[in-house]
Structure formats: structure tokens, C-alpha cells
Amino acid sequence: MTDTVPRIPRRSALRLIGGAITVAAVPSLAHARSGPAPRVEALLARLTLDEKISLLHGATDPRPLGQAGYVPGVERLGIPPLRLADGPAGVRVTRHATALPAPVLLASTFDPGLARRYGRVIGREGRALGQDVLLSPMVNLIRTPYAGRNFETFSEDPLLSAHLVAAETEGIQSEGLIATVKHFALNNQERDRTSIDVRVDERTLHETELRGFEAAVAAGTGAVMGAYNKVNGTFACENEALLTGVLRERWGFTGFVMSDWSAVHSTREALPAGLDMEMPDGTHYGTALRTAVRDGGVPEAYVDRAVRRVLAVMDRFGLLDGTAPHRPEPDAAAGAAVAREVAEAGATLLRNAHGTLPLTDGGSVAVIGPTGARPLVSGGGSAHVVPEHADSPLDTIRSRAARVTYALGEDAFGKPLPAGALAPALDSEAHHVEAGRTWTYDGTLTVTEAEEWTLVLHYSGPHPLRPKVLLDGEELFPLVPGWSEYFTGGLLTHAADGLSVRRRTMKPASGTHRLSITAQGGEAGQLFRLRRITAATRAEDVTEAVRAARAARDVVLFAYEDAIEGQDRTTLALPGNQERLIDAVTAANPRTTVVLNTSSATSMPWLERTGAVLQMYYPGQEGAAATAAVLFGDRDPGGRLTQSFPAGDDRHPVAGDPRRYPGVDGTQEYTEGIHVGHRWYDAEQVRPLFPFGHGLSYTSFAYEDPEALWTADGLDVAFTLRNTGGRDGVDVPQVYAGPSPDVPLDQPVRVLAGYRRLTLRTGEERRVTVRVEPRTLSSWDPDVHDWVLGTGTRTLWIGASSRDLRLRLDARVGG
Ligand code: BGC
């Protein structure tokens, strides 16, 4: 068997420095031209300063397709405009597109081949939908379980992230769409993302976060997006050490760097530092740049350098000479097939007790939970895609089981206010204000029992026209400046009929409260309703769920957590009343499978009471079919965790140290150093709830006869894998490597060194070889600012997760 995990193109040469073997970065020429491209240079010579500057910043698209960015072309010279669309899980424009599973679910497949195909779907659709540049993939490491965009990225592990980003980038660009790896670098949290100063040492930077970016560059990414945050005191978008030192000089990047949206702070700093393009407008790279060039503050040579880089990428993709392939028609069926395959392949079975899964056809099933009926397709923010379609898991399960009941169990949208609560009486369920009109209500709300109330406002108008609701003079749903007003997606921001939703939880005293509402019809009229969730309505929902659970043989309880760009979570617990719901339902019926539609790690105090737990993240538009295929055993759950799931909020790498997370006085320190993710759990001997790499199959596997051989290309680790169970199934054996005795640096207890995803028939046996790259066995030596190969005898483990290590052997590295 040969290794099918793609090797990251090697641009490193082994060399000897002072007796130690180091791996030196050699600038890649693979994607560079030999010398300046004549077409680009000829254009540059003819462009006026204003035209050059217009190519370096975003502008308003005269024919907008709903994409995030636009750069006008220069028509007189045949330079076409660029349209730039998000994002990581599909093409985000106004039109429908394939909503692929969240990247974290793709990563869970441990299958770079699938990542390439996922990229190809987006690449083709992006071009079909009029786009030239894709604002994806995102490869920032999962450093904290709270980070709001953990669903949009791949993993806590640098090696796995690097393999996936390289393969996806190749896939996107093979269809003629320019990929943008983002957010360079260290945008590992949403909290304070536009201002936080990340302090990190050189070694940590290279051994953790940068590896994925380097892999994307080696795979030929046309563009890089700079991050919002600061890195060691300087904003990432004006950080010369990163944008020029690392990206250009060390890695040989020849594409262009754009800012994240409104992430530029200074014309005079950013352009010389190596930021080529400002997005989405010309705040700093428009008139301000022209003035800076004219007054000598920014030499025009920097403008030329940036324009050259933009044009060079356009040239490489055939956009300057008309050789770009014709824009294809969208192929929704092909997109759907890949979306489904990825969702099935990434489905991660965390627990399966007493043979709870797979379910048998024709049984009786109670489906519980809001995302059981209304599919949670994708996370919120710039990664949200308007799906081609999305079936309900409930309908899919109905087509398989003989008897299916449904109970909501957890209500996020509220129940109508009780009759008589409002005086004068008001139909709070659906109130319509006509266009141009203003409607007001002044009355009272009577609360009979002092308990927690969540008032839920549903409204159709644009956010600035959100109805004003005042309780005892306090405005309950004020406009909050920030991302959350703009980003949609996920489950919670919109009701099933599309109305925007805002919630406010409070504890009003029993008695009568003054309530006033002012709603404006605006241009299109406004529909709104006011609802509530109380302890009593919650209890009713749980009671109904328990009733359904008791009456069925099996229960499938869909639990959710709704992440959105721009904000972090504050707890690992499931939101709302879901923990109590799971407690009650599992007490009523232990054959309960909890399906998690969550963004990242979740704490599970209820775990032992469940029959099974299936992690599906945000499974995309084909999520319902994929979930059912795994629940009913048509597919073996072949996904594995790409991040450690902590046992609780106090037991993970950034717990209990605000300097690590979320930062103190605007600064945070990555003091866990190279011990990111599973490496931290090993270094600190902390037991995770579920370790990195964990995921169960419906069959079982044995690992035998390991051997390892150092070759000129790295370490070949071989072993025999046997399917010892009664079903065909998928396994993802993983190779971990211990420290080198020859490197006098603090090294991880174990690093992920390689892995394979394999499907074996029952009883089948296969000899498997995993190639471990020299880079994976190297450390960054801060004294020589370079990689040093970790030679000597190193321990290797082969296992089913970072904590299920089945075989151990020693191998010599470096001959
Ligand atoms: C996000 C980027 C995204 C951009 C354009 C920003 O807020 O951080 O990832 O590509 O918006 O939508």
C-alpha cells in the first residue's frame, strides 16, 4: 500500500549547520514566473497612478451579485473586475448555492482527497456564480473551544490543518477560482478580534499556527487575507515581519495579500509592510494613498509592487488574456453529492452504549429538539450560504421508521403571550404596521409569578427599524453596534418564516409592568410579534418530549448550539434548557441518541445517561440525509475529532488564565506555547472528555506488526490493520511521534505524525504505510531561526486517538 495522504510540496532542503541537520526553507519558485511577466509589466507601464490605486482597494459593484467584495477593472487596458465571495462552506452570494458541511466536519473526515473535491465544488460554483476570488479556506487553529468560528476552520492540529488546507486550495483553484487563505495570522478567537494583541514567540508561531498557511502557500494559493488582530504589537495587516518576512522571504509567496474587511489602520504602514489590497473600500488605499504617494510619504514603488502582485495572479488565472475557462453552469446535483458524502464521512460517533446505534428500519422513534424539525445547515456570519435546499431530519427519519413522533423539547422562539397578560388587549402574535406608518402601544404586562422570562421579538423590518419595546421604561431590544446586527445564519437569528428574532431574558417581579411598543412600517411595512419563554413553558416542552420518549423504542434528540462570527461562546454547555431536556428524556428512555449540531466542543454532564452521541456539527444542506444514513447504519460513522473535547470549562488549554484567553487589557499571551490542543492535554496530564482523533465505528479494528524505516523522504511507519468486527467499516489509524533526544528544546509529549482513512470489509486485513514528513519531526530553533530535524531514537505510537494508543515502537530518525 502506498500512502494516499498528499505530501505537502516540499520546498525544504536538509542542510547541516554546526553538526545539526536543519531543514531550511527555500523560497518556492513553483508558482513564480521566471522574472517579471511581460504582460504584467506592459500593463503596469501603461497604468496611471489613479488606475493603479483603483486596483488596490474594494469599491461598490455596479452589478452586485451579493458577494463580499469587488475591485473594478481598467477597461481601457482590458483588465477585468474582480468579484470576491465568501466563503469556507460554499459560495455566499444572493443566489442559492451548495451549502456544504462546515469545514470542521470536512476536517473530521481526515481525508485530504475529499477536501480537494469539496474545494472543486466551491471552485466551480464560484466561477459559475460570477466570482473570481474565493475568501476561503480559513486555517486558523482551534486554540480555544469558545472561539466563535471554530466551525469555519479545520482543527487544533497543525499537521491535519496543513494537509486539508493544501488539498482544498488545490481543489478550488483547479476550477479557475482564486483561493484566499485566511486570516493571516492568529485570528483564533472572535472576542476583541479587531483589537486584541496576540503575543506569541517565534517558535510557537512556526510550529503551530503558521504551518497551515505555509501549506496553502506551497499549494499555490493566489491570495492571502490578513487578520484583524495584532501580532506582537503590530496589526496583522501592517505587520512586515509576517507579510514580508515570513510570507514573501521565507515562503516565497508570489500572490497578493488583501486585508480582512475594514482591517487596515494606516496607509503609510500597511502598503510598505506588504498589504497589497484594502477591502472592502478605499478608506486607506483610495484618496489617502494617492495623497501619500504625491507627498512622498509612500514611494510609488510600493504601489507598483502591489499592482504587480495582483495582476500576476490575474494573469496566472488567465484573466488578463481571456484564456480563463468559460464560466460553467452551476451543477447543483454534483454539489449536493459531495455535500452529502462529506457529511456522512465526517459524522463522528462519540459514544455508542448497549448497541443503541445503528437504528433498525421500521422501528418506532421519537425525534426531539428544534433542529430535528428545522435543519441547522450552517453557522452564522460570512460563512453562511443560501442553500439550494435543506430537508428536515424529521422527514428523513419518517421515511425510515414505522412510527415517528416529534416533540420540540426546547423552544428558542417563544410561545404566544397568555390572553389577558396585556391590557389593553393586543394581538401580540402578528401585528402588521403599514408602510410609512408608525404604530404605538401603551399598556401593561401582568406577570403572575416572579420567574425568569425571555421575551422574544420577531420582526420583518430591517434592523434599524426594529420595533422599540420598553418595559417599565427600559428598552429591551436596543440596537447593539457590532457584527451581530448584520450576520445571519445558524438557527437562532431567524424564525422559520424568515422574521428576524431578538431575545431578552429578565426576571420581572410579579405584578403589573408598563409596556410600550413603537413600530414603524418603513418602506415595505412591518410585521412583528412578541412571544415569551418562561420556566413554565419550558417545563411544558420538556413534559411533552418525555411523553414522546416514553412511547417510542428509540429517541433521537437533536441538540444545538448556534455559533456566529463576531462573538465567542461563554460556556461549553449547551445553551438554554437543553441539558435539563436531555436529563429528562434519557431518564424516560435510555435508548436516546443525542445528535449534536454544534460548532465545536461541548461539555456533556449528561453523557453517561445517553445511549449514543453523534457529532454532526453544521452538516450543510444534505445534513438530514447524511445524519439518517449514519443513524440507520447505511454508512459507518467515519469521522474523528479534530479537536479535543474538554471535560469542562475549567479543563482546557486556556482555562483559568485570562492572559491566555480572552486577554487582559487588550493583550493576550500564547503561553501554552507549542502545546496547542491535544499536546496540552498530554503535557499537563489532563483527561479530556473525548480526545483528539476519537470517533467510533460500528465495527472494530486491530492494529498489529508495526515497523518504521527512515528514508530520504522521511519516516515510513507500517502496520497491519484488521477489521475484526461483523460489519464493513471505516478506520482512521493515527501515528504519533515522541520527542527527539537530540533537540534541547521543550518538545510535545507527542505530535500527530500522520494518519490514514481506510475502509475495510469485515475480516479484511491490510498492510498500511504512513509517511511521516521530516517537517513533522522537526522543531523550530529560535537561535538559528530555522527548522532543526529531531534526530535520534524517537518513540512512535499507532492508535485510534491521541489517548487510545495501541502500538508502540522506537525508530531512528536521521539515519
Ligand atoms: C471576515 C472574513 C470575511 C469578510 C468578508 C470578515 O468579517 O472576517 O472572513 O471573508 O468579512 O465577508
Side-chain angles (χ1 to χ4, degrees), residues 68 86 92 135 149 152 182-183 187 193 225 228 260-261 382 483 487 565:
D86 287 302
R92 183 170 76 100
L135 305 172
R149 295 179 88 172
E152 259 189 84
K182 68 188 186 184
H183 311 83
N187 180 184
R193 70 171 173 168
M225 185 190 292
Y228 282 121
D260 201 340
W261 267 229
S382 61
W483 305 100
F487 284 140
E565 177 183 341

Side-chain angles (χ1 to χ4, degrees), residues 129 182 282 504 674 813:
L129 294 168
K182 68 188 186 184
R504 175 67 183 265
I674 53 163
V813 169

Side-chain angles (χ1 to χ4, degrees), residues 501-516:
V501 174
R502 289 292 182 276
R503 300 167 184 81
R504 175 67 183 265
T505 299
M506 63 213 160
K507 207 164 178 188
S510 61
T512 299
H513 299 266
R514 270 183 300 121
L515 179 74
S516 70

